[in-house]
Amino acid sequence: MIKKTKTEEIVSIVEPRPSAIYLDREISQLAFNRRVLAQAEDTSIPALERLKYLCIVSNNLDEFFEVRIASLLANRIEGEHIDPPILAAALERTNAECHRIVARQYEVLNTEVLPQLAAKGIKLLRHDDRNERQAAWVKNYFDQYVRPLLTPIGLDPAHPFPQVLNKSLNFIVELSGKDAFGRGTAIAIVKAPRVLPRVIKLPDELSDDGGTSFCLLSSVIHAHMDELFTGREVISYSQFRVTRNSDLWVDEEEVKNLRQALQSELHSRQFGVAVRLEVSNRCPAHLADFLLNQFSIDRNRLYAVDGPVNMVRLSEIVDHVHQPALRFPPFYQSMPSQFGGEDIFDLLRMRDMLLHHPFESFQPVVDFVRTAAHDPDVVAIKQTIYRTGMNSDLMEALIYAAQHGKEVTVIVELMARFDEEANINWADKLERAGAQVVYGVVGLKTHAKLALVIRREAGELRCYAHLGTGNYHPTTTRFYTDFGLLTAHPQLTAEVNEVFIHLTSLTKPKKLEYLWLAPFALQKEITRAIRNEAAIARQGRPGRIIAKMNALLDESVIRELYAASAEGVKIDLIVRGACALRPGVPGLSDNIKVRSIIGRFLEHTRIYYFRNDLAHDVRLASADWMNRNLFRRIEVAFPVLDPQLKKRIINEGLNPYLKDNTHAWHLEQNGSYIKRKSRARQIPYSAQDYLASTLGAQSVEPEN
């Protein structure tokens, strides 16, 4: 009888009882939002930052409903149908947890954060809170700026229920009496104009205590609702907001021009299938029922909230208030000393350069492209773009390069969720400047982060490249943790060029020695590296794996990690968000620990470390260990070859996070997360605080 391998044994365990060893994806994703919410609950964090965390939770939940719940309701997850009982159970679990999170969110807002801000003179005024002068100012504001833009719609056969945009602010109003034509139209809908700010700052001189006061647009309309219905009595009303399925879909096999098709599809996103209804907790039951029926939403997805139906908009308060004591201490990115005015191409010919964002500035990357755009010896620039924002010096540099005769090729991912419009606009500008714009590979999102400069030197062409774990986005590079590598390594840069040729020509990529490219080789190479550590452990030597990423959900990789753990490989996983691996199961994952770091900055770095008999293989990547990243996206994992830069990544990207006893949450076997606390006499240690204050690195071996 042939003995089964550890992986085969794991598969035999998994197939009959997958839920016993895989954690629920949706609940794990919501657990991440619980950890973000815990930041808002933390009284040691400044008040405006606590408010910001509440807004982040709301934004995350919006996307969770727009994409994940929408997919569940469509009964298709990642192309697979779900059995009805499993689907119903998944929806019940997620709905219950979402309700608990939202209830706690508004409780923290109303009983902790808003009172804390009010004590510092920053007040969010409801109708009854406004003094006489403030009420008069709000009345004038309503008359001048709000009422002229409102169009109340009384519902009758000639005035059907209006189209309601995704996540827009609306009001349902119940009226008594008869309209001007003697008919008893009882229900009206009022849509708040999108051009108006949702948070309105009142003049400081109107405040009784000299503080700063705000009111919400919804409160302004509430206060003067009766003025919209002359001759009718407003019996009751409520603000409401509908969340819709926002996952764009185009038939990529039929469409001839992806950009044109996507532009048409973007409009329909506003009117996708309704998946959630939010109303005021004072909304009468019969009005809520009317809306649920109108939008065909199940009652389990009705959220009656004690506050604004769109908490995300409260972030405008954060933008308006300038009190340093209510924010985190100022953080200043450093400019790496090696970029001290020398020619960047001269520097890269001598050695590779590593950048660690946001602790180090992203400016050297912008300067790399900008210098290339202006350098007469540069003949070509190639770059991938996934997210870059509406304003980007880097994109302007590419446009300049194209306008001035350089060969510029840009792989623009048009299907980057919620950044489609910005990317379409950039694609249009690039094409008009003369750049060659390609939209990646049909059916596969191009998520790799690559930039290549080809320069003529001494009669030959030489390549320089930037490879990163994060997007070329000027805003997120100040708040997301990421690594970027600038290199002139001949073989590595040649392979980067091969990836670009593959993406533009759609030919089969050549065999790559340095880069792990998805969907062709990345999962296979990760599997090979994990199995190598297991083989080393079987021979009695230390096997060690550390991986840092945003999400761990791919079952094929999880099975390999379980098998390696069973062989004795010590595995530490630093997973910010959803994690389906169940750690600490006897005989299955005894040697696996999972932690999540939630702090001031969004952890976004992807690092794969394999000890490999002291070779210390270190790779940076654009890919999480998710099925979509490994099989349905263009992703790149690249090696860090310079020994000193390996040390930096180990000592900046891994070791501090394994030591963190301030912002670390440990995943338990049952799927719950426990926040790690410093023990008695133990000095509190935050990885992010350490990295913000110093970027020194000493040891090579990752700490135990």
Side-chain angles (χ1 to χ4, degrees):
M1 181 177 178
I2 300 176
K3 184 179 179 181
K4 289 183 178 180
T5 65
K6 287 291 184 182
T7 301
E8 290 170 333
E9 291 176 5
I10 295 300
V11 171
S12 67
I13 295 172
V14 169
E15 289 176 344
R17 295 186 301 115
S19 62
I21 63 169
Y22 296 129
L23 296 171
D24 182 280
R25 171 176 176 164
E26 283 74 33
I27 296 301
S28 183
Q29 195 166 339
L30 291 173
F32 165 66
N33 284 296
R34 278 279 190 182
R35 299 194 293 280
V36 178
L37 180 56
Q39 294 290 103
E41 295 172 318
D42 188 343
T43 57
S44 69
I45 291 177
L48 285 176
E49 304 294 347
R50 296 179 70 188
L51 179 60
K52 190 184 295 185
Y53 282 118
L54 288 174
C55 295
I56 291 171
V57 173
S58 283
N59 188 68
N60 290 348
L61 288 177
D62 284 351
E63 185 171 340
F64 183 76
F65 274 91
E66 289 175 290
V67 178
R68 196 65 193 174
I69 294 296
S71 296
L72 283 172
L73 291 169
N75 196 14
R76 287 187 69 82
I77 291 290
E78 297 180 348
E80 299 293 333
H81 286 288
I82 308 171
D83 292 335
I86 296 175
L87 173 65
L91 285 170
E92 183 178 353
R93 288 193 303 271
T94 55
N95 281 328
E97 180 60 10
C98 284
H99 276 284
R100 286 190 288 266
I101 291 174
V102 170
R104 179 59 181 154
Q105 193 183 3
Y106 281 87
E107 181 183 10
V108 173
L109 175 71
N110 292 316
T111 65
E112 297 184 33
V113 174
L114 290 181
Q116 185 180 0
L117 287 171
K120 299 295 183 179
I122 301 165
K123 297 179 180 179
L124 182 62
L125 303 177
R126 297 192 179 192
H127 175 57
D128 295 337
D129 299 328
R130 296 193 274 268
N131 63 34
E132 187 175 336
R133 292 186 302 153
Q134 290 168 336
W137 187 91
V138 168
K139 163 66 174 165
N140 183 65
Y141 183 90
F142 175 80
D143 289 339
Q144 285 198 24
Y145 302 108
V146 181
R147 181 168 181 167
L149 298 179
L150 297 179
T151 306
I153 299 174
L155 303 185
D156 69 6
H159 299 79
F161 200 98
Q163 286 273 34
V164 172
L165 296 176
N166 181 40
K167 298 187 294 187
S168 61
L169 175 63
N170 307 273
F171 301 86
I172 183 169
V173 186
E174 183 179 18
L175 304 167
S176 68
K178 297 185 181 300
D179 63 21
F181 305 96
R183 294 171 298 190
T185 52
I187 301 293
I189 301 297
V190 180
K191 299 200 289 186
R194 287 182 288 172
V195 296
L196 293 175
R198 294 299 186 259
V199 176
I200 302 157
K201 183 179 180 297
L202 277 65
D204 290 342
E205 60 267 21
L206 300 181
S207 177
D208 291 333
D209 55 7
T212 303
S213 297
F214 299 88
C215 66
L216 301 178
L217 177 63
S218 57
S219 175
V220 172
I221 297 175
H222 279 175
H224 302 283
M225 186 70 75
D226 56 344
E227 298 178 31
L228 300 175
F229 301 96
T230 306
R232 306 289 298 276
E233 180 186 353
V234 175
I235 299 175
S236 59
Y237 54 86
S238 174
Q239 56 180 302
F240 72 89
R241 188 174 79 133
V242 175
T243 309
R244 297 181 179 276
N245 183 338
S246 297
D247 213 10
L248 295 182
W249 183 87
V250 293
D251 189 343
E252 294 174 327
E253 294 183 359
E254 297 293 330
V255 70
K256 294 182 179 179
N257 186 311
L258 182 60
R259 192 171 88 191
Q260 291 178 0
L262 194 58
Q263 284 175 311
S264 300
E265 187 70 12
L266 276 172
H267 176 72
S268 67
R269 167 182 278 169
Q270 301 289 352
F271 305 104
V273 173
V275 296
R276 176 181 60 170
L277 173 65
E278 295 165 284
V279 300
S280 165
N281 62 354
R282 296 183 181 87
C283 179
H286 63 283
L287 293 185
D289 289 340
F290 177 86
L291 292 171
L292 289 171
N293 182 64
Q294 179 65 42
F295 295 112
S296 300
I297 297 177
D298 186 90
R299 179 168 294 279
N300 287 335
R301 284 175 279 118
L302 169 67
Y303 290 77
V305 300
D306 185 13
V309 292
N310 186 354
M311 197 185 291
V312 176
R313 295 299 191 121
L314 295 183
S315 61
E316 295 175 32
I317 295 176
V318 180
D319 298 334
H320 277 101
V321 175
H322 304 288
Q323 291 192 27
L326 300 180
R327 296 175 180 272
F328 285 131
F331 167 71
Y332 303 100
Q333 295 179 301
S334 65
M335 181 62 71
S337 58
Q338 60 264 40
F339 298 96
E342 294 183 62
D343 182 272
I344 193 164
F345 300 119
D346 290 342
L347 288 171
L348 293 179
R349 282 194 296 274
M350 291 187 289
R351 60 186 181 277
D352 290 352
M353 302 290 182
L354 185 72
L355 294 167
H356 193 177
H357 315 301
F359 315 106
E360 294 179 314
S361 173
F362 188 71
Q363 191 60 42
V365 181
V366 177
D367 292 342
F368 171 67
V369 177
R370 184 183 285 151
T371 300
H374 289 82
D375 188 337
D377 292 327
V378 169
V379 296
I381 304 173
K382 304 181 183 184
Q383 186 156 354
T384 61
I385 293 296
Y386 190 74
R387 301 188 195 279
T388 193
M390 300 299 289
N391 301 298
S392 171
D393 291 341
L394 190 149
M395 298 299 287
E396 295 293 348
L398 291 174
I399 290 171
Y400 177 91
Q403 290 172 334
H404 288 78
K406 299 191 189 304
E407 296 294 325
V408 176
T409 303
V410 187
I411 314 294
V412 179
E413 180 48 68
L414 295 184
M415 299 292 283
R417 187 177 291 134
F418 303 120
D419 273 332
E420 299 93 345
E421 185 175 359
N423 287 3
I424 287 172
N425 291 338
W426 282 121
D428 181 61
K429 290 179 181 179
L430 286 161
E431 284 187 339
R432 283 192 277 112
Q436 176 65 56
V437 179
V438 179
Y439 305 131
V441 180
V442 171
L444 300 174
K445 288 186 179 181
T446 301
H447 194 244
K449 326 297 184 184
L450 304 171
L452 182 73
V453 171
I454 304 177
R455 193 168 186 263
R456 187 181 289 111
E457 298 177 4
E460 298 180 348
L461 296 180
R462 179 148 191 170
C463 293
Y464 301 83
H466 173 266
L467 305 93
T469 67
N471 297 304
Y472 294 106
H473 195 297
T475 300
T476 60
T477 56
R478 295 198 299 270
F479 304 106
Y480 290 13
T481 68
D482 277 302
F483 277 109
L485 179 71
L486 286 161
T487 181
H489 188 283
Q491 289 77 29
L492 192 55
T493 55
E495 291 195 1
V496 170
N497 198 29
E498 286 297 327
V499 172
F500 277 106
I501 292 171
H502 159 62
L503 292 174
T504 56
S505 69
L506 303 181
T507 55
K508 185 176 180 180
K510 292 183 178 179
K511 181 174 175 56
L512 304 176
E513 299 295 330
Y514 289 86
L515 301 182
W516 294 353
L517 178 65
F520 302 99
L522 181 55
Q523 190 270 352
K524 294 176 184 176
E525 293 292 350
I526 291 170
T527 296
R528 181 197 57 76
I530 295 173
R531 289 180 177 177
N532 181 59
E533 293 301 315
I536 289 171
R538 269 197 306 274
Q539 295 166 20
R541 302 190 304 279
R544 186 80 166 100
I545 298 171
I546 310 174
K548 186 172 186 290
M549 64 199 70
N550 300 331
L552 171 56
L553 296 170
D554 182 71
E555 293 184 2
S556 69
V557 173
I558 292 174
R559 287 198 298 269
E560 296 295 339
L561 291 170
Y562 285 153
S565 171
E567 296 286 5
V569 178
K570 183 178 179 182
I571 302 171
D572 275 290
L573 304 171
I574 306 163
V575 185
R576 183 195 78 210
C579 179
L581 182 145
R582 192 186 293 274
V585 178
L588 183 72
S589 54
D590 315 63
N591 293 307
I592 303 178
K593 294 180 180 179
V594 180
R595 72 198 68 205
S596 171
I597 306 294
I598 307 295
R600 176 175 181 172
F601 306 111
L602 182 77
E603 292 298 333
H604 195 253
T605 313
R606 288 92 169 196
I607 306 172
Y608 314 156
Y609 168 83
F610 304 95
R611 187 174 184 271
N612 192 17
D613 277 340
L614 294 178
H616 302 299
D617 295 336
V618 174
R619 283 185 178 266
L620 301 174
S622 60
D624 298 312
W625 288 355
M626 299 175 66
N627 182 275
R628 71 181 187 190
N629 298 89
L630 302 179
F631 299 106
R632 298 195 309 282
R633 288 187 173 188
I634 305 297
E635 305 272 15
V636 167
F638 54 95
V640 178
L641 303 173
D642 184 293
Q644 293 302 315
L645 298 188
K646 278 188 188 184
K647 291 180 185 179
R648 277 197 61 193
I649 292 168
I650 291 169
N651 287 300
E652 296 175 23
L654 298 177
N655 282 342
Y657 294 94
L658 299 181
K659 291 170 57 179
D660 195 303
N661 58 22
T662 301
H663 295 117
W665 295 76
H666 286 236
L667 176 59
E668 300 294 298
Q669 185 184 134
N670 63 3
S672 64
Y673 282 81
I674 306 297
K675 190 166 188 180
R676 182 180 176 186
K677 296 181 180 179
S678 54
R679 296 186 295 271
R681 298 179 186 162
Q682 185 181 36
I683 299 173
Y685 182 88
S686 162
Q688 292 188 359
D689 290 348
Y690 164 75
L691 292 169
S693 62
T694 177
L695 287 177
Q698 300 298 326
S699 69
V700 181
E701 184 82 9
E703 296 173 8
N704 292 324

